[in-house]
Amino acid sequence: MRDMWAQKGQKGTVILSCSDPRVIPEQFMGLGPERPAAIIRNAGGRAMDAIRTLQVLNTITPLDLIIVVHHTDCGTTHVPDNEVRERIKQISSLPAEAIDAMDFGEIKDLEASILEDVAMIKDDPTYGGNAPAVVGLLYEIETGKLSQVE
């Protein structure tokens, strides 16, 4: 991964990661003054929730590298969308049909979800044909191992 960083530089780098407090990209990615990056964190580290932020960041500083990180033992692998929908129905005033139409980004297969999010970011038409490099990584909570998913 050091080669990936060197090839793309440091300016315009974003890491998309889960909001799980056990996942701290600043630590396992070795970020700091020599290796700066913006961090976007959301449930599951899903691209569907990060696209708007990536679009805005790209207008401020053109992005040259986006790193998507999903991790083992993620809550989105344990709580499926249908369960989230039922919980929301219990507390929300929205019609059940509206809630049933919502997608919350459950993860059934970690590697498949990483590839899906990488593709979603690469296919975003707002880059105008100048899409940044997008890399998918799997972070193993149990061991601290970080591996590229291709």
Side-chain angles (χ1 to χ4, degrees):
M1 279 186 293
R2 294 187 199 292
D3 293 337
M4 167 187 65
W5 215 280
Q7 289 172 1
K8 297 311 290 180
Q10 298 170 359
K11 187 176 179 185
T13 299
V14 176
I15 298 172
L16 169 57
S17 181
C18 186
S19 54
D20 186 316
R22 300 171 298 168
V23 178
I24 305 168
E26 294 86 348
Q27 291 178 354
F28 64 78
M29 294 296 294
L31 302 179
E34 300 284 321
R35 188 184 274 181
I39 309 290
I40 300 171
R41 295 177 65 153
N42 65 43
R46 299 309 309 259
M48 60 190 274
D49 293 327
I51 292 291
R52 183 198 62 83
T53 300
L54 290 168
Q55 291 165 341
V56 171
L57 290 175
N58 192 53
T59 67
I60 296 168
T61 300
L63 302 178
D64 62 354
L65 176 61
I66 299 170
I67 303 168
V68 175
V69 181
H70 292 188
H71 68 93
T72 57
D73 195 37
C74 183
T76 61
T77 64
H78 302 298
V79 182
D81 278 4
N82 63 344
E83 210 171 298
V84 174
R85 287 184 196 100
E86 291 308 312
R87 291 178 186 180
I88 290 174
K89 287 175 188 176
Q90 293 172 7
I91 60 173
S92 175
S93 61
L94 287 172
E97 302 79 40
I99 296 169
D100 286 338
M102 294 178 176
D103 183 9
F104 296 99
E106 76 179 78
I107 295 176
K108 295 178 183 177
D109 177 312
L110 281 166
E111 291 191 6
S113 68
I114 293 167
L115 295 174
E116 178 183 321
D117 284 357
V118 165
M120 183 181 292
I121 293 168
K122 283 182 177 179
D123 293 343
D124 184 343
T126 63
Y127 294 111
N130 296 312
V134 186
V135 176
L137 304 177
L138 176 61
Y139 177 63
E140 294 179 21
I141 291 280
E142 305 79 9
T143 64
K145 181 182 174 190
L146 196 59
S147 54
Q148 188 166 346
V149 175
E150 300 181 85

